[in-house]
Amino acid sequence: QYNSDTHLVYREDIDTLECYWRQVDDIRGTDTIFKRTTKDGKHWTDREQVLQTKTGDDGILSPAIIYENGKYKMWTINYFGKFPIRYRESEDGYHWSKPREITLQYDSEDLRSWHLDVIHTEKGYEILVVAFKEGDNHLQMNMYYTKSKDNITYDPCITVLKPSTSPVAWDNRGIYRSCFFVEDGNYYVYYSGIGYPKGIHSSRGVGLSIGSSIEDLKGYDR
């Protein structure tokens, strides 16, 4: 039993910040998404259940949520079979449509999606997602990018970020969950990463890469 996969949504229309997260209960066999909200970043509402599924039917990993045009839009990873993305919509944030599957095209058929983030820009729905080879663990992953105008058919995924090749880097093993936005023509990608064990523990950290194109990200180090 543990909490994971936080995600923030700002509702400009009501000046409210919403914090979502996923609770895994392997004892009861459920995945649940909860949320709390705040108007000042200090005082938060009580926890509310947003969505719950049975893990054997539909795992709801890594929720990415957008609120636009009076509607919530949620993408999650179903971590069974070929790990498709599942998409849902809701007008009130509690009653969701039947999930629709989105299958991404990688350059290798043995890649499985793991964590993702989604933004909506003039280019359409843009996705950053990490993926691992079937049979491997979730620590050795690259970051991929794809986009779609209609949120139905997505372009083939391209690799945009790989683990560092430096033997002493904190992110030389794998890229993990990311979030990103576009401002003044530049992409800002915040990502978590994992390094190979030094002694007992692996290194963990958060990095920032920036680029005028998602295909030309440069690491920020200061």
Side-chain angles (χ1 to χ4, degrees), residues 18-19 34 36 55 61 64 81 84 87 128 143 154 171 183 205 207 211:
E18 303 178 336
C19 178
F34 291 103
R36 298 176 71 183
T55 54
L61 179 81
Y87 173 74
L128 283 182
M143 181 189 294
Y154 278 82
D171 58 351
E183 185 173 278

Side-chain angles (χ1 to χ4, degrees), residues 55-80:
T55 54
D57 301 324
D58 181 15
I60 44 177
L61 179 81
S62 189
I65 303 167
I66 291 174
Y67 182 81
E68 60 181 4
N69 301 322
K71 185 180 297 183
Y72 287 93
K73 301 179 179 181
M74 180 193 298
W75 295 257
T76 59
I77 300 292
N78 178 26
Y79 50 91
F80 295 97

Side-chain angles (χ1 to χ4, degrees), residues 85 104 116-118 125-129 144-146 154 180:
I85 295 173
L104 299 185
L116 81 164
D117 191 26
V118 183
Y125 292 95
E126 302 185 61
I127 291 179
L128 283 182
V129 58
Y144 302 86
Y145 169 84
T146 182
Y154 278 82
F180 70 126

Side-chain angles (χ1 to χ4, degrees), residues 101-119:
E101 286 197 356
I102 298 172
T103 300
L104 299 185
Q105 304 175 58
Y106 293 103
D107 56 9
S108 174
E109 292 186 359
D110 62 353
L111 285 174
R112 300 292 177 258
S113 304
W114 195 238
H115 284 287
L116 81 164
D117 191 26
V118 183
I119 61 175

Side-chain angles (χ1 to χ4, degrees), residues 6-39:
T6 56
H7 190 86
L8 295 173
V9 175
Y10 176 60
R11 286 278 306 271
E12 185 175 5
D13 57 327
I14 55 175
D15 190 25
T16 299
L17 183 67
E18 303 178 336
C19 178
Y20 294 84
W21 73 96
R22 165 180 171 255
Q23 184 187 81
V24 179
D25 191 331
D26 290 332
I27 297 174
R28 295 180 175 86
T30 58
D31 279 6
T32 307
I33 295 176
F34 291 103
K35 79 170 181 180
R36 298 176 71 183
T37 68
T38 181
K39 286 185 173 292

Side-chain angles (χ1 to χ4, degrees), residues 155-174:
D155 296 342
C157 295
I158 60 172
T159 306
V160 294
L161 194 62
K162 295 182 178 180
S164 172
T165 57
S166 169
V168 296
W170 62 272
D171 58 351
N172 62 6
R173 188 176 186 183

